[in-house]
Amino acid sequence: MNTERPERPAAPEPETPKARAARAAAAEESEEAGPPTESAAPSGTPIGRRLLLGTVGLGALGVVAAPPLQRGLEAFLGGISGKDPTGLTSLLPNGGGFRYYSVTASVPNENATDYRLKIDGLVDHPKTYTLADLRALPQTRLVHDVQCVTGWRVPKTPFEGVRLSTLLEDAGVSSAAGAVRFSCFDGAYTESLTVDQARRSDILVALKMQDKPLSHDHGGPVRLYVAPMYFYKSAKWLSGITLTKEVRPGYWEERGYDVDAWVGKSNGRDDEPTS
């Protein structure tokens, strides 16, 4: 994933859970965790009014369109969302029910040839996996609702991949380790879990979503999937798994989100747990 966590901003004034949820909703959070950072400059040329209005029409059409047109629409929206400084394209519906965003201006593409996932830190046997290595391991398919902390939900979404617990067992977790830190090849996003959380059977290093290989826009070729927590915990573009002594807050936790993001029990929300 990247470098060490971004420089921590000055501590904001205390914020109530209700105010935090309202702020997040107003910001039109993304598929993974929200709006771009204030310092992230959009790449390319901002979209114009005509294109935006045309895109609104396409978004409405995508709701009732045939699957091939829906897939094309999703690719189109993914391509222009990074050039839209207003964030309005993230509001448009698409066939998959997800919204597009990242916290950086651009994210490099990695494929089966150059992708690597490293496991290091407090482990007995540091590992490096290629995409082929991960595909050769036993695969687990989970179907749960995906819940964003701003309130939108995509029901019964299949994810498939390798249980994180399997990779941790192969690496040999040191008795000194208390947490797992995840880094991403976008160079900015990070996440973390306790070791006990990471060993749950419903947490995957995912290679597929909705029964298709993970696309770049959805965090491919490999992403984290944390089924029982809000979706910002499911880091896209996964490249590193590091065992540490204690939990270090991830990208959005440094900006006010809960570290333990159980659906319905954190971030001031009362959503039903994912099913």
Side-chain angles (χ1 to χ4, degrees):
M1 283 189 291
N2 25 72
T3 60
E4 290 297 306
R5 58 181 175 174
E7 181 180 355
R8 192 182 186 93
E13 291 297 317
E15 185 177 37
T16 64
K18 183 176 181 181
R20 184 190 303 155
R23 170 176 56 80
E28 295 305 339
E29 188 168 74
S30 73
E31 175 192 1
E32 264 52 81
T37 62
E38 293 84 349
S39 60
S43 58
T45 304
I47 65 171
R49 180 173 178 272
R50 288 185 180 181
L51 178 56
L52 177 59
L53 292 177
T55 305
V56 171
L58 282 174
L61 177 62
V63 175
V64 296
L69 183 54
Q70 288 179 340
R71 289 192 292 269
L73 175 62
E74 290 180 11
F76 173 73
L77 292 178
I80 68 169
S81 62
K83 302 178 179 67
D84 174 17
T86 69
L88 292 175
T89 51
S90 69
L91 304 179
L92 298 174
N94 61 67
F98 290 88
R99 299 172 184 175
Y100 298 96
Y101 241 130
S102 74
V103 299
T104 60
S106 63
V107 180
N109 279 275
E110 294 200 4
N111 54 37
T113 301
D114 53 23
Y115 178 78
R116 297 293 185 272
L117 173 63
K118 294 183 178 181
I119 302 181
D120 57 17
L122 299 175
V123 296
D124 298 330
H125 311 290
K127 300 277 188 177
T128 298
Y129 292 91
T130 65
L131 191 56
D133 292 335
L134 294 171
R135 288 171 174 168
L137 294 172
Q139 305 291 300
T140 297
R141 186 176 184 269
L142 301 176
V143 181
H144 292 276
D145 295 351
V146 166
Q147 177 70 56
C148 179
V149 73
T150 56
W152 60 266
R153 175 177 290 207
V154 182
K156 299 187 183 306
T157 303
F159 280 86
E160 186 173 332
V162 182
R163 281 198 170 105
L164 176 58
S165 59
T166 298
L167 300 181
L168 296 182
E169 182 178 355
D170 289 347
V173 177
S174 167
S175 60
V180 186
R181 183 168 176 79
F182 306 93
S183 53
C184 308
F185 62 79
D186 68 347
Y189 205 83
T190 56
E191 259 307 335
S192 63
L193 296 168
T194 67
V195 167
D196 287 342
Q197 290 169 350
R199 284 175 167 153
R200 288 176 57 105
S201 62
D202 54 0
I203 297 178
L204 301 179
V205 171
L207 311 179
K208 290 184 177 182
M209 187 182 82
Q210 296 173 323
D211 298 316
K212 297 179 292 185
L214 275 166
S215 68
H216 178 74
D217 287 333
H218 286 304
V222 178
R223 70 177 296 162
L224 184 66
Y225 175 55
V226 183
M229 295 188 180
Y230 286 106
F231 208 31
Y232 65 85
K233 298 295 287 189
S234 296
K236 299 199 290 187
W237 306 302
L238 183 64
S239 64
I241 298 174
T242 301
L243 277 292
T244 60
K245 288 186 177 180
E246 57 188 23
V247 169
R248 294 168 59 185
Y251 183 91
W252 284 110
E253 285 112 27
E254 288 185 328
R255 291 157 175 79
Y257 284 52
D258 287 354
V259 173
D260 289 323
W262 305 105
V263 172
K265 297 181 181 179
S266 66
N267 292 289
R269 297 192 60 83
D270 58 358
D271 303 289
E272 290 294 324
T274 56
S275 59

